[in-house]
């Protein structure tokens, strides 16, 4: 039997998915070393506010370093201080539109960051890795629901998506070259929602283009109307379809992947994390109206350039091999997002009264 893992290194741990995943890791009694270059939401002691909230939720500690993955010296120092069993690599820039405007910044941050991490992992002989990939690597779906063997890399229309595809390929190559690597790439569909406590969630102060934060802003009165991109797709009601997954389900998917790597040497393997269910924009709007008890005015406008009409996962592989299945309902996704938004209208910003009281 392989030894049980204890210490997990989490890059991008102060971010949306990282912070929720750390809650799950701590609840499973792992020790967590988190790094993030977060410059906006740290307190006067350089501690990430999201991770203070994580400590509040779990009653357990997270060791946090403010560190950029491009800072190889600091990264090396952190690895030299801890005996790390596995790495979960979330850190990346993820704004699709921004990635088209500043491609070099995205290639530098996402690709070089990943390379630096792999190098330090190899140096310290910690070659177990879970990588945050995305359904964006599938490009325009050739069939639905999407299985892991769907072609990847074709028709990825944005730089962000290409960085995810290139990193997956790089990971495949290192695992072919060196037997020691044991890697799972998790292709997330559309993560939404927040921790049911309302204490952590996606920082609304960051530039976003995703649907649920927009809906929520309309519900809270910050925006007057939701623009729906396209009403003439061949879908249930003409609007775009996606596979929305509750962030806590996504987090438990990482624990399942970790247990798999702990038990087996896979070299390189990919799993979809989604619910397997396609939801249209209008269905999401209706569910959010019910959860928030607010009316969400919308207009249906032209299709968004490069948009995909429908995308949802086949999740059989994760169910069979990781023994994992999404549990949360669409209603819970909306209720939990709404709770987070109403408790923290300015996210983790220090000028937000809720933040300073509860952190
Ligand atoms: P996020 O922006 O909330 O978190 C990412 C964190 O990484 C941030 O806190 C950021 O400060 C940090 N970071 C970025 N570059 C860094 C660097 N060079 N060094 C150290 N820290 C750095 O985003 P998220 O939604 O939590 O996404 C986490 C991962 O999941 C990303 O890799 C993203 O591409 C991937 N992903 C996200 C979604 C989504 O819809 N949220 C979907 C698919 C995949
Ligand atoms: C969902 C649906 C829109 C906003 C993103 C990333 C992608 C990946 C998955 C990270 C679509 C419609 C949206 C609005 C709308 N993430 N919409 N009005 O398109 O799946 O992609 O998440 O890896 O890289 O780009 O998600 O939330 O942007 O859009 O009508 O104001 O909502 O047309 O049908 P998408 P999304």
């Amino acid at each position: 039997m392989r030894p049980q893992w204890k210490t997990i290194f989490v890059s991008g741990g102060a971010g949306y998915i990282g912070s929720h995943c750390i809650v799950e890791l701590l609840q499973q009694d792992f020790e967590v070393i988190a790094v993030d270059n977060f410059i906006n939401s740290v307190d006067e002691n350089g501690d990430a506010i999201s991770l203070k909230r994580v400590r509040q939720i779990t009653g357990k500690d997270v060791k946090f370093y403010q560190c950029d993955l491009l800072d190889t010296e600091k990264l090396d120092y952190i690895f030299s201080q801890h005996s790390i069993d596995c790495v979960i690599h979330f850190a990346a820039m993820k704004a699709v539109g921004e990635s088209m405007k500043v491609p070099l910044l995205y290639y530098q941050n996402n690709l070089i960051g990943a390379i630096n991490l792999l190098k330090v992992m190899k140096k310290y002989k910690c070659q177990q890795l879970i990588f945050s990939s995305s359904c964006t690597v599938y490009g325009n779906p050739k069939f639905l629901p999407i299985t892991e063997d769907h072609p990847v890399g074709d028709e990825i229309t944005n730089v962000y998506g290409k960085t995810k595809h290139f990193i997956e390929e790089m990971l495949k190559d290192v695992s072919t070259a060196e037997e020691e690597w044991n890697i799972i790439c998790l292709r997330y569909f559309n993560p939404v929602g927040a921790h049911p406590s309302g204490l952590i969630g996606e920082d609304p102060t960051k530039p976003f283009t995703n649907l649920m934060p927009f809906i929520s802003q309309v519900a809270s009165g910050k925006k007057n109307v939701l623009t729906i991109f396209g009403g003439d797709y061949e879908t249930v009601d003409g609007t775009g379809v996606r596979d929305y997954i509750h962030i806590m389900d996504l987090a438990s998917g990482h624990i399942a992947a970790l247990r798999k790597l702990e038990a087996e040497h896979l070299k390189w393997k990919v799993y979809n994390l989604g619910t397997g269910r396609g939801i249209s924009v209008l269905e999401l709007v209706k569910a959010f109206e019910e959860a928030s008890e607010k009316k969400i005015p919308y207009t249906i406008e032209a299709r968004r350039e490069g948009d995909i009409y429908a995308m949802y996962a086949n999740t059989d592989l994760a169910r069979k091999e990781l023994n994992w299945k999404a549990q949360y309902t669409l209603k819970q996704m909306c209720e939990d997002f709404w709770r987070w938004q109403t408790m923290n209208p300015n996210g983790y910003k220090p000028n937000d009264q809720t933040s300073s009281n509860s952190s």
Side-chain angles (χ1 to χ4, degrees), residues 15-161:
Y16 172 46
I17 304 175
S19 55
H20 288 79
C21 192
I22 292 174
V23 168
E24 285 288 303
L25 286 166
L26 294 174
Q27 281 170 347
Q28 300 276 326
D29 286 332
F30 287 104
E31 282 171 19
V32 177
I33 314 297
V35 305
D36 205 293
N37 65 359
F38 226 54
I39 43 166
N40 294 326
S41 300
V42 289
D43 69 7
E44 57 289 355
N45 303 315
D47 201 5
I49 295 168
S50 58
L51 295 182
K52 286 175 115 176
R53 303 277 185 92
V54 165
R55 294 185 192 102
Q56 190 182 336
I57 292 167
T58 60
K60 294 186 177 171
D61 197 22
V62 189
K63 177 85 183 144
F64 175 66
Y65 294 91
Q66 193 174 349
C67 168
D68 195 306
L69 294 184
L70 302 182
D71 183 347
T72 50
E73 256 178 51
K74 189 155 186 188
L75 200 54
D76 191 292
Y77 169 77
I78 298 167
F79 270 74
S80 74
Q81 296 301 300
H82 303 277
S83 174
I84 295 162
D85 295 306
C86 184
V87 169
I88 308 183
H89 178 37
F90 292 108
M93 295 174 76
K94 64 162 187 178
V96 171
E98 185 184 61
S99 77
M100 301 302 283
K101 292 188 190 125
V102 284
L104 276 184
L105 182 63
Y106 269 68
Y107 284 126
Q108 167 164 296
N109 190 71
N110 294 2
L111 297 187
I112 308 292
I115 291 171
N116 289 346
L117 187 58
L118 291 175
K119 280 165 121 175
V120 78
M121 288 171 69
K122 183 173 154 124
K123 178 174 171 190
Y124 287 93
K125 299 196 179 350
C126 161
Q127 289 171 268
Q128 289 73 240
L129 172 70
I130 296 172
F131 171 61
S132 287
S133 190
S134 165
C135 61
T136 194
V137 301
Y138 293 119
N140 223 342
K142 294 181 174 33
F143 57 83
L144 288 168
I146 296 183
T147 47
E148 286 81 352
D149 58 6
H150 182 286
V152 287
D154 303 343
E155 302 175 36
I156 303 179
T157 52
N158 63 80
V159 171
Y160 161 73

Side-chain angles (χ1 to χ4, degrees), residues 2 5 9 21 85-90 117-118 121 126-134 138 148 164 167-175 179-188 250-273 317-324:
R2 293 157 70 103
W5 287 349
F9 177 98
C21 192
D85 295 306
C86 184
V87 169
I88 308 183
H89 178 37
F90 292 108
L117 187 58
L118 291 175
M121 288 171 69
C126 161
Q127 289 171 268
Q128 289 73 240
L129 172 70
I130 296 172
F131 171 61
S132 287
S133 190
S134 165
Y138 293 119
E148 286 81 352
K164 291 286 154 191
I167 295 170
E168 277 199 2
E169 291 296 302
M170 190 165 76
L171 295 176
K172 197 196 291 180
D173 291 339
V174 296
S175 72
E179 184 57 35
E180 293 80 3
W181 289 101
N182 198 15
I183 299 172
I184 286 180
C185 297
L186 294 176
R187 292 181 182 149
Y188 314 151
L250 200 72
S252 71
H254 288 73
I255 305 294
L258 206 139
R259 296 291 183 205
K260 182 78 175 172
L261 284 181
E262 194 181 27
E264 277 177 53
H265 192 81
L266 303 172
K267 284 174 81 84
W268 183 89
K269 189 95 203 226
V270 170
Y271 294 97
N272 286 339
L273 292 185
L317 198 65
R319 196 164 57 239
K320 257 187 250 149
E321 296 190 6
L322 302 181
N323 200 18
W324 170 89

Side-chain angles (χ1 to χ4, degrees), residues 271-314:
Y271 294 97
N272 286 339
L273 292 185
T275 62
R277 189 171 157 223
I279 299 290
S280 76
V281 176
L282 283 174
E283 285 170 333
L284 190 62
V285 168
K286 187 165 176 288
F288 209 94
E289 283 186 331
E290 284 166 12
S292 62
E293 297 177 349
K294 302 276 179 195
K295 187 91 197 114
I296 297 161
Y298 63 82
T299 58
I300 298 187
E301 307 282 340
R303 295 176 177 191
R304 187 169 63 176
E305 203 188 324
D307 225 347
I308 284 164
Y309 85 102
M311 180 82 123
Y312 48 95
N314 178 313

Side-chain angles (χ1 to χ4, degrees), residues 94 96 133-136 158 160-161 164 188-191 209-215 226-230 233 239-242 244 281 304 307-309 311:
K94 64 162 187 178
V96 171
S133 190
S134 165
C135 61
T136 194
N158 63 80
Y160 161 73
K164 291 286 154 191
Y188 314 151
F189 279 68
N190 290 61
T209 54
N210 294 115
L211 180 59
M212 192 177 278
F214 265 116
I215 292 179
L226 171 76
T227 303
I228 295 182
F229 302 131
Y233 288 115
T239 64
V241 163
R242 294 293 185 273
Y244 299 97
V281 176
R304 187 169 63 176
D307 225 347
I308 284 164
Y309 85 102
M311 180 82 123

Side-chain angles (χ1 to χ4, degrees), residues 189-262:
F189 279 68
N190 290 61
V192 293
H195 189 270
S197 65
L199 288 173
I200 55 171
E202 184 161 27
D203 195 337
T205 58
K206 288 188 178 177
F208 59 80
T209 54
N210 294 115
L211 180 59
M212 192 177 278
F214 265 116
I215 292 179
S216 179
Q217 291 219 326
V218 177
S220 67
K222 282 192 178 168
K223 286 200 165 36
N224 294 332
V225 64
L226 171 76
T227 303
I228 295 182
F229 302 131
D232 57 354
Y233 288 115
E234 280 187 30
T235 59
V236 59
D237 53 25
T239 64
V241 163
R242 294 293 185 273
D243 186 339
Y244 299 97
I245 171 169
H246 194 290
I247 186 73
M248 294 315 297
D249 275 331
L250 200 72
S252 71
H254 288 73
I255 305 294
L258 206 139
R259 296 291 183 205
K260 182 78 175 172
L261 284 181
E262 194 181 27

